Amino acid sequence: MGLSRKKPGGGALLLLWAALARVHSLEIQADSDVQAFVGEAVILKCWFKSSFPVTEKLTIDWTYRPLAGGSLEPIFHYQSDAYPAKKGTFRDRVSWVGNVAKRDASIRINNPTMDDNGTFTCAVKNPPDVQHNIPQTMLTVTQRGASFQLTSAGLLSILVFLPSAIVVALLLVRMAKKLGVLKSKKKCSYKKSSIEVSEEPERPKCKERLAAWCLRCLDSDDEDPY
Ligand SMILES: *[C@@H]1O[C@H](CO)[C@@H](O)[C@H](O)[C@H]1NC(C)=O
């Protein structure tokens, strides 16, 4: 009798040890915050680590609680096969994208709406592994609004239009300067041809002017970087 009484005690200790071991052997992870846009499918990632091999006993359960409060709603169940909820908020909107062999328990929410804001939980059981942590994922659904388009348009104009406008302005300035040189050249040649041989002193002046123009041109070429 004494021996048989001692044995249950040892068994209880063993059970306690096993229970503690179980607590730490299954670990579930999920994204804590997920942003989604109305109508654009979003994946809620969940993955787990188990010290036991995955068997057909493995179950995955996803639940949803609205941000405004309310009851916990089961939206997805997995055991050997995927069973998306056939009723409720996410009826026909949950797709299985996980792979238990890869320890992936992720789902996809199709066609999110503004009313889907809330907390999702991913629970995995891989008997004899039973999880203790249940990670929560906060989903925030927003409308891809005009504000975003405005900021992207602003960014585009800063990144593309502004530099090209500067380049065009520089090119125009250079062209104007070159035209100016041509004009003075024409003037000079015109003067030269009309005055012909009679006024020699005009030629050096013209050359000087041209040289000055060209120097200015060269100067402006060198100073381009601003
Ligand atoms: C969901 O959250 C977003 C971002 O905070 C908010 O713009 C939207 O109005 C919320 N939807 C509802 C139904 O409260």
Side-chain angles (χ1 to χ4, degrees), residues 10-22:
L13 268 175
L14 201 73
L15 271 176
L16 186 70
W17 174 83
L20 284 172
R22 274 177 196 173

Side-chain angles (χ1 to χ4, degrees), residues 21-55:
R22 274 177 196 173
V23 167
H24 296 287
S25 58
L26 191 75
E27 197 186 319
I28 306 168
Q29 281 180 288
D31 289 334
S32 54
D33 279 289
V34 174
Q35 310 282 328
F37 293 106
V38 171
E40 293 178 33
V42 63
I43 287 176
L44 302 181
K45 280 190 203 138
C46 176
W47 58 99
F48 60 92
K49 280 186 207 158
S50 176
S51 47
F52 288 89
V54 167
T55 67

Side-chain angles (χ1 to χ4, degrees), residues 5-210:
R5 270 191 184 174
K6 265 180 192 171
K7 262 181 186 168
L13 268 175
L14 201 73
L15 271 176
L16 186 70
W17 174 83
L20 284 172
R22 274 177 196 173
V23 167
H24 296 287
S25 58
L26 191 75
E27 197 186 319
I28 306 168
Q29 281 180 288
D31 289 334
S32 54
D33 279 289
V34 174
Q35 310 282 328
F37 293 106
V38 171
E40 293 178 33
V42 63
I43 287 176
L44 302 181
K45 280 190 203 138
C46 176
W47 58 99
F48 60 92
K49 280 186 207 158
S50 176
S51 47
F52 288 89
V54 167
T55 67
E56 74 276 5
K57 281 182 186 163
L58 179 132
T59 60
I60 297 163
D61 282 283
W62 278 89
T63 61
Y64 167 72
R65 191 192 292 279
L67 193 65
S71 56
L72 212 65
E73 192 183 322
I75 60 164
F76 178 85
H77 177 72
Y78 179 97
Q79 182 164 12
S80 297
D81 205 352
Y83 299 98
K86 290 228 164 69
K87 56 187 169 88
T89 316
F90 293 96
R91 169 174 31 98
D92 299 330
R93 289 201 293 138
V94 179
S95 302
W96 169 239
V97 293
N99 182 342
V100 293
K102 288 180 178 166
R103 312 290 191 268
D104 184 348
S106 307
I107 56 168
R108 187 179 65 221
I109 305 292
N110 302 307
N111 200 14
T113 73
M114 295 283 266
D115 296 324
D116 293 344
N117 289 353
T119 311
F120 294 78
T121 60
C122 170
V124 182
K125 288 182 169 72
N126 184 32
D129 251 359
V130 186
Q131 97 293 340
H132 257 250
N133 72 311
I134 297 180
Q136 300 204 325
T137 302
M138 266 285 287
L139 178 71
T140 309
V141 184
T142 51
Q143 187 88 45
R144 258 199 212 280
S147 60
F148 173 78
Q149 276 156 17
L150 270 177
T151 51
S152 69
L155 265 174
L156 256 181
S157 62
I158 286 164
L159 290 174
V160 178
F161 297 121
L162 213 65
S164 51
I166 288 168
V167 167
V168 165
L170 284 171
L171 283 172
L172 281 173
V173 165
R174 206 187 282 187
M175 270 176 72
K177 277 183 177 170
K178 275 180 183 161
L179 277 172
V181 170
L182 281 174
K183 262 184 197 168
S184 67
K185 247 187 190 170
K186 270 181 187 168
K187 265 184 201 167
C188 291
S189 59
Y190 169 77
K191 274 180 183 169
K192 195 175 85 182
S193 58
S194 67
I195 290 154
E196 289 276 286
V197 207
S198 60
E199 276 184 54
E200 274 281 325
E202 195 75 22
R203 279 187 76 173
K205 261 187 187 174
C206 194
K207 264 187 181 170
E208 265 170 35
R209 242 197 271 169
L210 252 177

